[in-house]
């Protein structure tokens, strides 16, 4: 586990199932249609209660890549789910970095609007969407450190699903915090 303090905020990298975390909000790696899917999206929909979360998502409609939308957490320990849509990786020249940063930034903005003090993100876009992990981790770390500067958050968790990913995200967090 990597942990960095920035002002009032603790930033940490954990290996965990994000659906089990008791925080104000967890972030979902969603698709534009907000229809649920595989990976962490499927796990969050199952744990929240498929019917209720799908209904809330249907009422919202869709979400462009690089943005996010918020729903209640329903059956989850977390009060809110923030559905962030990261980009599919193509070759790095199609605005992927900016879109991934946007997904984090928009999630943090929604979190602040809903008085969320503790929040966890999965490794957005690095599964089915194929974003290179080191590159995605640097963006996640940079955006999380920037959000910590706003002093709205007590705890920001980068929640990885394997120890290998946690090493990559932990290294990125240390690097970005030191630079
Ligand atoms: N807790 C934490 N992380 C998890 C969990 C979990 N329970 N389950 C998987 N991960 P992905 P993407 C990790 O593919 O690349 C979906 O079908 C996983 O190991 O879930 O943004 C959506 O509907 C990986 O590191 O998201 C979209 O269509 C990370 O979560 C599409 O996939 C993200 O992998 C989004 O693709």
């Amino acid at each position: 586990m990597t942990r960095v303090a920035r002002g009032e905020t603790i930033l940490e990298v954990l290996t965990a199932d994000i659906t089990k975390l008791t925080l104000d909000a967890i972030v979902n790696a969603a698709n534009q249609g907000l229809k649920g899917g595989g990976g962490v999206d499927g796990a969050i929909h199952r744990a929240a209660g498929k019917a209720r979360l799908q209904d809330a998502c249907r009422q919202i409609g869709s979400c462009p890549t690089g943005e996010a939308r918020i729903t209640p957490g329903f059956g989850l320990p977390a009060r809110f789910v923030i559905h962030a849509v990261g980009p599919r990786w193509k070759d790095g020249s199609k605005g992927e970095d900016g879109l991934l940063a946007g997904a984090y930034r928009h999630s943090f903005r929604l979190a602040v609007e809903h008085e969320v003090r503790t929040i966890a993100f999965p490794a957005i876009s690095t599964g089915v969407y194929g974003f290179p992990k080191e590159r995605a981790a640097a963006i996640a770390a940079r955006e999380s450190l920037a959000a910590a500067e706003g002093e709205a958050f007590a705890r920001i968790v980068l929640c990885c699903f394997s120890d290998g990913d946690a090493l990559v995200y932990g290294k990125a967090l240390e690097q970005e915090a030191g630079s």
Side-chain angles (χ1 to χ4, degrees), residues 4-12 27 82 100-113 116-121 138-158 173 176-177:
V4 165
R6 204 28 88 89
E8 300 292 299
T9 310
I10 303 291
L11 299 104
E12 52 192 344
V27 176
I82 296 175
L100 185 59
Y104 279 90
R105 219 170 290 160
H106 200 210
S107 298
F108 279 122
R109 197 181 318 145
L110 281 176
V112 169
E113 284 169 16
V116 164
R117 300 265 305 145
T118 58
I119 184 168
F121 287 82
I139 292 166
R142 218 172 292 139
E143 293 304 325
S144 298
L145 286 159
E149 299 291 343
E151 292 180 5
F153 297 101
R155 194 171 169 212
I156 298 171
V157 176
L158 300 179
L173 181 58
E176 296 292 330

Side-chain angles (χ1 to χ4, degrees), residues 25-70:
I26 62 169
V27 176
N28 183 17
N31 53 58
Q32 289 186 349
L34 303 179
K35 289 193 192 324
V40 69
D41 196 5
I44 288 174
H45 275 259
R46 273 192 302 279
K50 267 191 176 164
R52 283 191 295 171
L53 188 54
Q54 256 169 20
D55 195 45
C57 287
R58 215 171 5 244
Q59 283 177 35
I60 292 168
S62 61
C63 175
T65 302
E67 292 190 18
R69 298 290 182 267
I70 192 165

